[in-house]
């Protein structure tokens, strides 16, 4: 038995490739949830009425201070006790999105706080509604500076997707584990998963840098 | 047009404005001068509802600004009343406060579209007209970062005018400008005075401009109007010792 079997490697590659799609799907949907919900969290916490801001701050701190794995288990195994049964992939993506939404909300908070007060005052002087002020003035200025930080969380979220294997979502890690136990060979599948993650991370980092540059050019005019 | 009736503003124990009474007629141009910390800017900021008042009432166009009548009593204004009243007032800031992510033209179109409900085409026509009026007809697509301070301030004036206010507030609009750019902004304000039917209230350190442009000059000191009158009187024959001191100090500096 050789240490590395190339024939086996090529046999399992298609399986891992389709599992990679599941990982990508979880990453993208999870991050969309994180990015949108995170902004809502940040705005609610900073500008919402007290009855919303305080519980929201508590919820954010709670989610940030407990492990993602426990949250995944909680949504998948405990929610059904309350009559909410969620399919594994959905539960996993929800947990990922919710967990990272709390991190993103802190990033947005910094971005929102950095918009100069004069921008709010100009919006009031122009008689704009709160909604239009946020949509057209504040948010477009708050987000571009925090794109790099959001990009980091995209990569971090991506690297946390193997946790979904704990609730048997057929993403990369789970697929590799199954291949390993079926064939009694773990070297190739686990190594391949590592390589695939590395490649995707590098591509994602490059994409984030491109988006950053684009934002600086098109939105900030700097 | 604008009336301050016993208006008081304080931050904790620091009284910024002390029972201010000030009556400004329609179309009148009032210059507010005075040392820093005398409450000049606060007058404008309260009128723009950027600052809450602690006592008294401000009337704009005969209606209370931050309160409204309900069942014969004055109650704090609701959002609708505030927005209706704000619509009568425009403000130009010391630091321009242009929207940096919008072109000059978009800066002038944003509020007319979202607040007044103008179509894009209407707002664009209005924006183009106003920007050429302030001499920036060739800079429509420039972003604030690509414009000089004087040009940015002229865009800010056009942006405020696009909302068709009845009262315009100018808060030290030339203080942040390099000296050679002050003239272009003042000449735009002069033009507004001649061409528009506007009530203007300006806080300024440009004594020469106040003298030539204003119908009335108010000298603020310690949160109250120390002396007021036509510019000839304030600058020519001030009665109050504090006014004299202030003007002497300003003249020495220039």
């Amino acid at each position: 038995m050789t240490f590395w079997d190339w024939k086996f490697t090529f046999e399992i590659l298609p399986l891992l490739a389709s599992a990679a799609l599941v990982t990508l799907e979880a990453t993208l949907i999870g991050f969309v949830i994180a990015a949108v919900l995170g902004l809502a969290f940040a705005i609610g916490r900073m500008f919402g009425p007290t009855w919303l801001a305080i519980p929201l701050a508590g919820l954010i701190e709670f989610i940030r201070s407990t492990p993602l794995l426990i949250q995944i288990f909680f949504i998948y195994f405990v929610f059904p006790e309350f009559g909410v049964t969620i399919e594994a992939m959905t539960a996993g993506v929800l947990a990922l999105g919710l967990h990272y939404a709390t991190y993103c909300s802190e990033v947005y908070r910094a971005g929102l706080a950095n918009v100069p007060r004069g921008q709010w005052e100009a919006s009031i002087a122009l008689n704009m509604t709160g909604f239009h002020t946020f949509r057209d003035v504040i948010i477009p200025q708050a987000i571009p500076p925090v794109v790099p930080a959001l990009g980091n969380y995209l990569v971090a979220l991506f690297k946390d997707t193997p946790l979904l294997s704990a609730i048997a979502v057929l993403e990369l890690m789970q697929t590799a584990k199954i291949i390993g136990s079926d064939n009694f060979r773990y070297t190739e599948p686990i190594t391949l998963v590592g390589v695939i993650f590395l490649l995707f991370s590098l591509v994602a980092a490059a994409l984030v840098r491109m988006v950053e540059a684009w934002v600086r050019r098109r939105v900030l005019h700097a | 047009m604008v009336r301050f009736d016993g208006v008081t503003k304080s931050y904790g124990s620091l009284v910024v404005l002390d029972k201010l009474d000030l009556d400004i007629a329609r179309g009148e141009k009032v210059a507010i001068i005075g040392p820093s910390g005398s409450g000049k800017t606060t007058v404008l900021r309260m009128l723009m509802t950027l600052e809450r008042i602690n006592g008294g009432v401000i009337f704009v166009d005969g209606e209370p600004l931050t309160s409204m009548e309900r069942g014969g009593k004055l109650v704090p204004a609701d959002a609708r009343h505030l927005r209706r009243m704000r619509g009568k007032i425009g403000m130009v800031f010391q630091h321009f406060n242009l929207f940096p992510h919008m072109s000059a033209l978009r800066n002038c179109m944003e509020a007319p579209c979202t607040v007044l409900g103008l179509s894009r085409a209407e707002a664009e026509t209005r924006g183009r007209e106003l920007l050429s009026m302030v001499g920036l007809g060739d800079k429509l697509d420039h972003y604030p970062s690509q414009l000089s301070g004087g040009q940015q301030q002229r865009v800010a004036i056009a942006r405020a005018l696009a909302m068709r206010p009845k009262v315009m507030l100018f808060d030290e609009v030339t203080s942040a400008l390099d000296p050679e750019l002050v003239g272009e902004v003042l000449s735009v304000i002069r033009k507004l005075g001649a061409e528009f039917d506007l009530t203007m209230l300006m806080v300024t350190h440009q004594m020469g401009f106040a003298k030539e442009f204003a119908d009335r000059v108010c000298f603020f000191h310690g949160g109250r109007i120390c002396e007021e009158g036509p510019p000839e009187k304030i600058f020519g024959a001030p009665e109050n010792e504090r006014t004299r001191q202030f003007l002497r100090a300003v003249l020495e500096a220039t």
Side-chain angles (χ1 to χ4, degrees), chain B residues 137-149:
Chain B
D138 55 339
K139 306 273 190 222
L140 299 176
D141 297 322
H142 284 55
Y143 286 86
S145 59
Q146 301 163 329
L147 298 171
S148 74

Side-chain angles (χ1 to χ4, degrees), chain A residues 26-85:
Chain A
T27 304
L28 293 179
I29 301 176
F31 189 69
V32 167
I33 294 174
V36 174
L37 199 61
L39 184 59
F41 279 173
I43 291 176
R45 187 172 175 182
M46 286 176 84
F47 307 104
T50 318
W51 59 262
L52 178 70
I54 290 177
L56 206 52
L59 179 75
I60 291 168
E61 288 311 316
F62 176 71
I63 295 175
R64 257 158 44 99
S65 312
T66 50
L68 173 56
L69 186 58
I70 295 179
Q71 290 158 16
I72 293 172
F73 271 44
F74 201 86
I75 291 182
Y76 187 60
F77 291 115
V78 181
F79 274 24
E81 303 281 331
F82 301 100
V84 184
T85 308

Side-chain angles (χ1 to χ4, degrees), chain B residues 43-165:
Chain B
V43 173
L44 301 193
R45 294 177 56 82
M46 288 191 309
L47 200 45
M48 196 64 259
T49 68
L50 297 174
E51 216 77 67
R52 208 179 275 278
I53 65 176
N54 301 114
V57 188
I58 302 175
F59 293 93
V60 175
D61 227 356
E63 281 181 275
L65 177 67
T66 54
S67 46
M68 52 195 228
E69 230 163 297
R70 188 176 279 156
K73 271 175 54 178
L74 279 184
V75 296
D78 57 18
R80 241 184 74 202
H81 178 86
L82 273 180
R83 299 202 57 233
R84 195 167 58 80
M85 296 304 288
R86 268 187 214 128
K88 302 172 194 280
I89 306 167
M91 182 161 179
V92 183
F93 298 87
Q94 181 177 357
H95 296 287
F96 334 132
N97 298 352
L98 288 179
F99 302 136
H101 56 300
M102 298 183 192
S103 68
L105 184 58
R106 275 283 314 281
N107 261 282
C108 297
M109 291 169 60
E110 171 66 26
C113 282
T114 59
V115 179
L116 304 179
L118 260 58
S119 72
R120 287 192 71 84
E122 288 169 314
E124 188 174 331
T125 311
R126 186 182 286 192
R128 281 174 186 279
E129 268 170 26
L130 287 167
L131 283 170
S132 30
M133 202 261 315
V134 299
L136 294 172
D138 55 339
K139 306 273 190 222
L140 299 176
D141 297 322
H142 284 55
Y143 286 86
S145 59
Q146 301 163 329
L147 298 171
S148 74
Q151 291 170 333
Q152 289 188 54
Q153 194 58 296
R154 286 186 279 152
V155 174
I157 292 173
R159 178 177 72 171
L161 283 175
M163 297 302 286
R164 303 262 158 97

